[in-house]
Amino acid sequence: QVQLVESGGGLVQPGGSLRLSCAASGSVFRINAMAWYRQAPGKERDLVASITSNGNTNYANSVKGRFTISRDNAKNTVYLQMNSLKPEDTAVYSCNAEILRRDWRQYAYWGQGTQVTVSS
């Protein structure tokens, strides 16, 4: 069994910063790509940022220059540093990871989601 547990969401004023974390636990042998998605009310879930196992990153145009994705492979954790937050960044943020389990089966797992609200 594998779980992804997110933390770090909350309420922040426009221009503020938050750091999200997502840790994988359980029968993890190796984690390949990891990513953050977000879904605002009434909208589809969109990719925010992704990172490969060797550190290559990709960002949505709307967050380039403001958000930074990183990972700590020793801790099976992916982070999303969010700076200069805007009200339009308000959404539920979820992490996704492609995990090779110790039984040699690979699946894409999702975290439970964490609310980020940007408001004055």
Side-chain angles (χ1 to χ4, degrees):
Q1 190 74 0
V2 171
Q3 281 189 317
L4 294 180
V5 178
E6 296 143 346
S7 60
L11 173 65
V12 64
Q13 292 186 344
S17 298
L18 282 175
R19 188 193 195 205
L20 306 182
S21 300
C22 173
S25 63
S27 183
V28 176
F29 179 77
R30 186 180 67 234
I31 303 178
N32 297 317
M34 305 182 83
W36 286 96
Y37 288 76
R38 68 185 181 187
Q39 186 169 22
K43 296 188 177 181
E44 295 185 350
R45 183 163 57 189
D46 292 325
L47 176 67
V48 176
S50 63
I51 184 168
T52 64
S53 57
N54 59 6
N56 292 326
T57 58
N58 180 57
Y59 296 93
N61 287 334
S62 59
V63 306
K64 281 182 181 177
R66 301 188 297 122
F67 290 11
T68 302
I69 189 171
S70 61
R71 62 190 288 171
D72 184 333
N73 291 330
K75 295 182 179 180
N76 289 336
T77 300
V78 63
Y79 305 96
L80 186 68
Q81 177 66 44
M82 304 184 293
N83 299 328
S84 302
L85 283 160
K86 305 174 181 179
E88 51 264 42
D89 295 318
T90 296
V92 175
Y93 286 70
S94 301
C95 67
N96 174 275
E98 296 174 0
I99 297 176
L100 177 63
R101 302 185 332 194
R102 293 195 181 108
D103 61 2
W104 297 102
R105 294 180 179 182
Q106 179 165 303
Y107 296 99
Y109 288 89
W110 288 92
Q112 80 282 5
T114 185
Q115 177 70 45
V116 172
T117 302
V118 185
S119 175
S120 55

